[in-house]
Amino acid sequence: MLRGPGFPVQLLVVIGAAVHHAQGLYSSSSPVKTLTAANFQQEVTKSDDLWLIEFFASWCGHCKQFAPEYEKAAKALKGIVKVGAVEDQSVMGQFGVQGFPTVKFFGENKNAPKDYNGQRTAAGLIDYATQQLNAIAKARLSGKGGKGGGKGSAGGKSEVVELTDSNFDKTVMADDKNTWFLEFYAPWCGHCKALAPAWEETAYNLKGKVKVAKVDATQERALASRFGIQGFPTLKLFPSGKKMESLVQDYEGPRTAESMTEYALKFFVANAKAEQLTTDEQFKDECKKGLCILAFLPHILDSKASGRNQYLDDLNAVVKSSTTMPVKFFWSQGGDQFEFEEQLRLAFGYPAVIAVNFDKEKYAVHRGGFNTEALRQFLTGLMSGRQPVDPLPKPLKTLDKVKPWDGKDAPPPDEEDITSEKDEL
């Protein structure tokens, strides 16, 4: 939950007389709509509209600092998601607000809003709101939408991987790339049965980011003994990187899809970064579903390692702030895929950025600067449908296989090569 170190709501009752109905942070002309107990139910609870709502206090310093960014987000989201603000304590009590500012997204199920846990910036809010909008639209398209409906495997393929004694080490312990979130359960366990829908929803939420799995501890007794399982369900997280039993984390938080997803994403965000695109197989496999962002960076001879790392830092800042969005990020050295780049009209120089969606057979070219803010705006435009797109060329040129970058400067060209070039001139 996004909250500052402000006073708990309970304390507001004591000091409320001094600040009750103080001048609000948002004027009547603000793009942020002020909500109260008198209009909240009609405007929000009984409405089909999607809302991003801040719970605040006028005296709260963190709220005052946050207000300009929140208004920027409201202006950008106009006509897409409604943005409101609540200072009425009676409304706050209904949703367990305990500090300020707290921001919640009211989607299809208005009785179970989702907490916003991202950065207190307009870009972060916009990214989150458009991600929620996209998820709801996809759920409706697949027939899983509707008020009170959760995401999961009902009627479809489960995203939860089933692990056994025989495949565990190869699947999990040998996987340095991914984070794994595991449930050890027993088929007869009532708490396990109660957890099952939330665990399925967690796997759905984390698809493409964190692997979610389950182990029947009554059948896979060697694994249960190995990890000291003494009760059911037991949840353990295996961080990305070299897997070691001493690094396994026990999850002891609330057993809700939202809480478990939030917990696992923290481990994903810590290591989230754009991957280098080195083969056509990697490109086709990773990008066959959903949206892919491809950044073509200047040649290492032009930027050197320091310059390339700066480009990657800017790109990875966007990656880390977009972990809740259904998008993957890759980079390539400009010129390494010359025919592919020419086909997608990237002749204007490097760095260059494109978005590819094989499902929709569309692509878009980023025409702005290569910095965190500009890249976020490009991504937000894509997610909200405001970014111009073009049909993906057919057949698409095949990518050449290239060596992974070793993180170092390139060796200088041989003198013979330089002499040869001069002779040709």
Side-chain angles (χ1 to χ4, degrees), residues 319-372:
V319 176
K320 290 180 184 295
S321 67
S322 307
T323 54
T324 59
M325 304 176 75
V327 59
K328 295 180 180 179
F329 293 82
F330 297 90
W331 68 272
S332 177
Q333 178 169 266
D336 281 359
Q337 310 297 344
F338 181 75
E339 291 186 350
F340 177 85
E341 296 165 29
E342 285 283 299
Q343 189 179 29
L344 297 183
R345 299 180 294 179
L346 300 182
F348 51 83
Y350 309 110
V353 178
I354 63 170
V356 175
N357 191 316
F358 282 111
D359 289 333
K360 298 180 179 179
E361 299 183 336
K362 302 288 186 181
Y363 83 102
V365 179
H366 173 51
R367 299 294 180 181
F370 195 96
N371 57 70
T372 301

Side-chain angles (χ1 to χ4, degrees), residues 297-308 311 333-335 350 409-410:
L297 306 182
H299 196 283
I300 192 64
L301 288 173
D302 295 326
S303 68
K304 297 187 178 180
S306 59
R308 175 168 291 180
Y311 286 124
Q333 178 169 266
Y350 309 110
D409 286 328

